[in-house]
Amino acid sequence: MKETRNFIGGQWISAKDESIAVYNPANPEELVAVLQNSSTEEVNLAVEAAVAAKEKWGFTSGPDRAKCLEQAASLFEKYADELAELATKEMGKRLAETKGEVYRSAAILRYFAGEGFRKSGELLPSADPTNLFFAKRVPVGVVAVIAPWNFPLAIPVWKMAPALVYGNTVVFKPALEASATGARIVEIFSEAGFPPGTINLVIGRGSRIGDAIVDHKQVDAITFTGSNEVGSEIAKKAAARGAKYQLELGGKNPAIVLKDADIDLAARLVVEGAMKQSGQRCTATSRVFVEKEILSAFQEKVLAEIQSIQVGDGMNPEVTMGPVVSKRQFNSILRYIETGKREGRLLTGGKACEGLDGWYIEPTVFDRVRSDAVIAKEEIFGPVLAIIESASLDKAIQEANDSIYGLSASIFTNDLSKALYFIDRIEAGMIQVNGETGGAEPQAPFGGMKQSSSGTREQGQAAVEFFTAYKTVSIRSH
Ligand code: NAP
Ligand code: MG
């Protein structure tokens, strides 16, 4: 068990109020961590510390900031086993998945370390040829990082790495269910040499301290990943006081399987897309549109894939699907499954796993689902897949696009022209051909269309747009 404190101005500090206990979702009797229940008071201290550190860090050179990111990358690798174990015990996903996230975090840190050496502006031609005319990128200032629990390592890192390398200071609020992991990340950043005050951690309930962060006048920008419900409130508040904001929100990601596809590949990757991390990925496959000629063959293969899934404690290497994160999430998913039983035909799964003590749900598949059913419209964030029969590619695209979301989408086909047709018409920010709907790489822009994002993008060269501001400068030379 770990006692986890706030990190403010380089000091580990306890909040005034009583602490919050968190338990292992694979074994709800096992206490994993005791967390701070911060209030506005601690938020204010963290923002003050970030403000105090902002000038010095802002004037630290790119190559010097890069050294800290490089060092953090090496430390992530050094502590890979311990970090993965903590994340698995805290939020339940499999050790192989959390280990993957540790290495992905190291890759993100290395990519953004490189940014410390790249150009930080543009030289421009001026109407007056004697002018020296340039646009210089500068830090935005204090950035609030509000993260979800489903990628307890990678999401905080992919927000903090660009924030820091471009010279901002950070106030980080992890999701409650990922706070012990969040605290360990901050400890590693501190060991890597980031000066006191550049990264500040406030642990607590979003419902209690979220507003204090988002409304704080000295928070210049907010980068948020989480639910649409919380995200849209953040957008309103940030816009009202002119703060910059970036939102990565939910998804209801479709896959389309055409009759010419490699059906084995499609079944394997649709099931992986739906069930990986127990379906708790914003990019999880949750609707699959299948051409009617291959529907029964596809279903048979999907069932065979599901049969091979072994549900259990993510610490056990034989297990291929862990529990869901919390009792709340568990109950919410089971409610959707009951709705699904009224809306479609249950093919497999459909209940909590018998004989297991934690928050375990059977991988669940429905067919005969209409595209306007609740389970085909709302984000479930659990191991539930809806199969929808489709008469044609056009019909499938039209129904796939009939969603408030537009995060990721995939198509399975061996016909290049159909794949290109799909790419042009599908409303999604992340597109896969013969791949599962999930997946991101640090060098590529990540984000969704429609209500899946604020229209901004994270990662890759896109990150510089959010984490810097431009100063356009004209100098009369003679
Ligand atoms: P969530 O409930 O919206 O929480 C996200 C973060 O916001 C947490 O740190 C939460 O703190 C905090 N928060 C809660 N209320 C707040 C408030 N009033 N003001 C400010 N912050 C507040 O989302 P979640 O349950 O952690 O994550 C699941 C959702 O995230 C899903 O909808 C999923 O699709 C989405 N997601 C999107 C992406 C993407 O890149 N598009 C990636 C991953 C997940 P507490 O934990 O203390 O409540
Ligand atoms: Mg939440």
Side-chain angles (χ1 to χ4, degrees), residues 267-418:
R268 182 163 61 75
L269 294 183
V270 165
V271 169
E272 188 182 308
M275 305 301 167
K276 202 170 174 181
Q277 268 184 237
S278 313
Q280 302 170 116
R281 294 186 303 160
C282 51
T283 53
T285 310
S286 59
R287 304 177 284 161
V288 57
F289 297 87
V290 185
E291 279 196 303
K292 59 176 183 302
E293 294 86 341
I294 54 156
L295 185 62
S296 61
F298 177 76
Q299 284 182 184
E300 219 168 273
K301 290 183 196 289
V302 163
L303 286 177
E305 290 291 333
I306 297 275
Q307 226 99 87
S308 70
I309 295 176
Q310 166 111 32
V311 183
D313 186 338
M315 292 297 288
N316 176 351
E318 321 242 292
V319 158
T320 54
M321 193 175 109
V324 299
V325 70
S326 63
K327 186 175 183 182
R328 214 184 78 193
Q329 195 69 16
F330 174 83
N331 287 332
S332 156
I333 297 164
L334 289 178
R335 275 196 300 275
Y336 274 114
I337 289 176
E338 289 313 308
T339 304
K341 288 176 185 169
R342 293 190 294 274
E343 291 182 323
R345 177 175 70 165
L346 180 67
L347 274 186
T348 183
K351 58 185 191 320
C353 294
E354 279 153 19
L356 287 174
D357 233 0
W359 312 124
Y360 297 100
I361 294 179
E362 292 177 347
T364 297
V365 182
F366 292 97
D367 76 344
R368 299 186 189 166
V369 179
R370 286 167 50 104
S371 70
D372 59 356
V374 170
I375 61 160
K377 285 280 179 206
E378 295 183 16
E379 184 181 51
I380 300 173
F381 228 55
V384 182
L385 175 68
I387 299 180
I388 302 167
E389 181 183 315
S390 213
S392 67
L393 174 58
D394 277 316
K395 185 89 175 33
I397 292 174
Q398 183 210 324
E399 291 186 349
N401 284 341
D402 182 19
S403 169
I404 60 166
Y405 297 112
L407 185 50
S408 65
S410 67
I411 188 164
F412 291 87
T413 180
N414 284 312
D415 183 331
L416 182 60
S417 62
K418 287 188 172 157

Side-chain angles (χ1 to χ4, degrees), residues 30 55 96 118 143 146 149 157 163 182 187 292 308 319 395 447:
E30 184 188 340
E55 170 146 338
R118 294 196 189 103
V143 175
I146 304 180
W149 44 264
V157 169
E187 196 175 20
K292 59 176 183 302
S308 70
V319 158
K395 185 89 175 33

Side-chain angles (χ1 to χ4, degrees), residues 146-151 155 158 173-177 179 204-211 213-214 224-231 233-234 237 247-251 280-283 328-329 379 381 405 407 446-448 452-453 458:
I146 304 180
W149 44 264
N150 66 334
F151 286 95
I155 290 181
W158 91 20
K173 197 255 166 290
L176 200 68
E177 296 91 341
S179 290
R205 294 195 167 89
S207 54
R208 186 169 189 225
I209 57 171
D211 284 352
I213 301 172
V214 173
F224 172 83
T225 297
S227 61
N228 285 59
E229 203 184 350
V230 174
E233 286 304 311
I234 289 178
K237 289 173 183 152
L247 313 171
E248 289 302 335
L249 308 170
Q280 302 170 116
R281 294 186 303 160
C282 51
T283 53
R328 214 184 78 193
Q329 195 69 16
E379 184 181 51
F381 228 55
Y405 297 112
L407 185 50
F446 179 88
S452 288
S453 108
E458 301 195 80

